[in-house]
Amino acid sequence: MKRIILIICLGFLVFSCRSKKSVVTKRPSQTRQIENKPVEEVNTNETPKVYASKTEQYIDDYKAVAQQEMSLYGIPASITLAQGILESGSGNGRLSVEANNHFGIKCHEWTGARIYHDDDKEQECFRKYKDAKYSFRDHSLFLTERKRYSKLFDLKKEDYKGWAKGLRAAGYATDKQYPQKLISLIERYKLDDLDKEVLGDSYTKFELPKTAEMVTYTVSKGDTLYSISRRYNITVKELQNINGLNDTAISIGQILVVKPTSEN
């Protein structure tokens, strides 16, 4: 009888041990299933945006900044972007690449970082910024804080032609064709649409009598004044006079007027 009882107890122990082992072996597999649950997938195959030109990319990169500056300081976004394109060579000029200076603003009373670059004179002092957005803000402050530009703010924000001419008259640039270059860029890339977005319902179309359209050319790799003059059937001397050039040096991204307006 004792033997029977002993055999029954041993059998019960063996059965209970097997049951515990089967539970233990199942737990890790359940844990692994939870750990291996797929997380939300991130699409890494998005097609990068393709631009027709460096200028179009520049506009896309900085249009929001220009519109913000318009909202805060009242300078048309179209004018700000056109100046940035022209002064920085669509972001490819030395000042913009090495100093984040997109508007060719010189040192004057500047106490911050600086860079030296040949302009009207050799090795002139220009302002240097940590980020391009500070260049846009300094451009706004530069215009709003100087009395010589005060008349610009009497103009309508829609009057980009008046702003372009006013900048030249106030001494922002020495290039006689500076206003026409800005206007050409604004109209070619429809930058005034950015002004409309900021002004909203208060926007009213501003028109001036039409004149013969100015034609400009953006310098590409391998171009020379001679090759450009041949293309547009004018002389090198005429090209120099139209664009205020003292020599034949040109740079990639530089915008040249090859046919001025009838009023110029």
Side-chain angles (χ1 to χ4, degrees):
M1 189 67 180
K2 290 181 179 180
R3 287 182 179 179
I4 294 171
I5 294 171
L6 180 61
I7 291 169
I8 292 171
C9 290
L10 289 173
F12 179 78
L13 285 172
V14 170
F15 177 79
S16 63
C17 288
R18 286 181 178 176
S19 298
K20 289 180 181 180
K21 287 180 181 179
S22 64
V23 172
V24 171
T25 55
K26 288 180 181 179
R27 283 180 183 172
S29 62
Q30 291 174 349
T31 304
R32 283 195 296 273
Q33 288 174 1
I34 294 172
E35 291 174 348
N36 293 334
K37 185 178 180 180
V39 296
E40 184 179 351
E41 293 185 2
V42 177
N43 184 5
T44 58
N45 296 319
E46 292 183 3
T47 304
K49 194 168 184 178
V50 178
Y51 299 94
S53 66
K54 291 287 185 181
T55 300
E56 289 190 5
Q57 182 176 356
Y58 184 90
I59 293 168
D60 200 34
D61 287 343
Y62 296 108
K63 63 184 180 183
V65 179
Q67 287 181 309
Q68 182 182 32
E69 295 303 305
M70 181 177 180
S71 298
L72 293 173
Y73 295 95
I75 302 165
S78 59
I79 286 291
T80 298
L81 270 180
Q83 282 192 280
I85 293 167
L86 191 59
E87 298 286 350
S88 73
S90 299
N92 294 306
R94 177 173 178 258
L95 288 177
S96 57
V97 172
E98 297 183 20
N100 285 313
N101 188 331
H102 286 237
F103 299 93
I105 299 180
K106 297 178 182 179
C107 288
H108 302 295
E109 67 277 10
W110 181 254
T111 58
R114 55 194 63 199
I115 186 173
Y116 294 89
H117 180 74
D118 291 347
D119 192 51
D120 296 327
K121 300 177 183 177
E122 291 184 1
Q123 292 300 288
E124 291 191 85
C125 182
F126 289 84
R127 301 181 181 191
K128 186 176 183 178
Y129 310 93
K130 289 183 179 179
D131 190 279
K133 63 184 178 182
Y134 300 121
S135 177
F136 278 77
R137 175 55 50 85
D138 200 29
H139 170 263
S140 298
L141 296 174
F142 189 84
L143 296 183
T144 56
E145 294 177 353
R146 286 165 173 75
K147 289 183 179 180
R148 60 183 170 135
Y149 298 113
S150 60
K151 290 183 179 180
L152 290 171
F153 296 89
D154 295 330
L155 299 171
K156 289 186 176 182
K157 304 300 180 291
E158 300 92 331
D159 185 11
Y160 60 83
K161 292 183 179 180
W163 276 79
K165 294 174 182 177
L167 283 167
R168 168 71 174 83
Y172 192 94
T174 57
D175 183 358
K176 293 180 180 179
Q177 296 298 321
Y178 193 76
Q180 285 69 41
K181 290 178 181 178
L182 294 182
I183 293 168
S184 177
L185 285 168
I186 291 170
E187 294 180 347
R188 183 192 307 173
Y189 295 103
K190 298 181 179 179
L191 300 181
D192 54 317
D193 286 346
L194 301 175
D195 302 336
K196 295 177 188 178
E197 292 176 9
V198 175
L199 294 172
D201 294 337
S202 65
Y203 177 86
T204 54
K205 191 172 183 180
F206 189 89
E207 293 184 351
L208 289 173
K210 291 186 177 180
T211 59
E213 185 178 357
M214 180 181 65
V215 179
T216 61
Y217 176 76
T218 303
V219 178
S220 302
K221 186 177 180 180
D223 282 336
T224 64
L225 278 186
Y226 178 72
S227 65
I228 297 170
S229 69
R230 289 289 298 275
R231 179 179 299 182
Y232 291 96
N233 195 30
I234 59 176
T235 66
V236 171
K237 189 64 178 178
E238 286 174 325
L239 263 181
Q240 290 174 312
N241 290 338
I242 292 172
N243 294 278
L245 302 176
N246 296 320
D247 53 35
T248 58
I250 54 176
S251 57
I252 296 174
Q254 183 176 350
I255 298 172
L256 298 175
V257 175
V258 293
K259 181 184 177 183
T261 60
S262 59
E263 65 180 12
N264 290 279

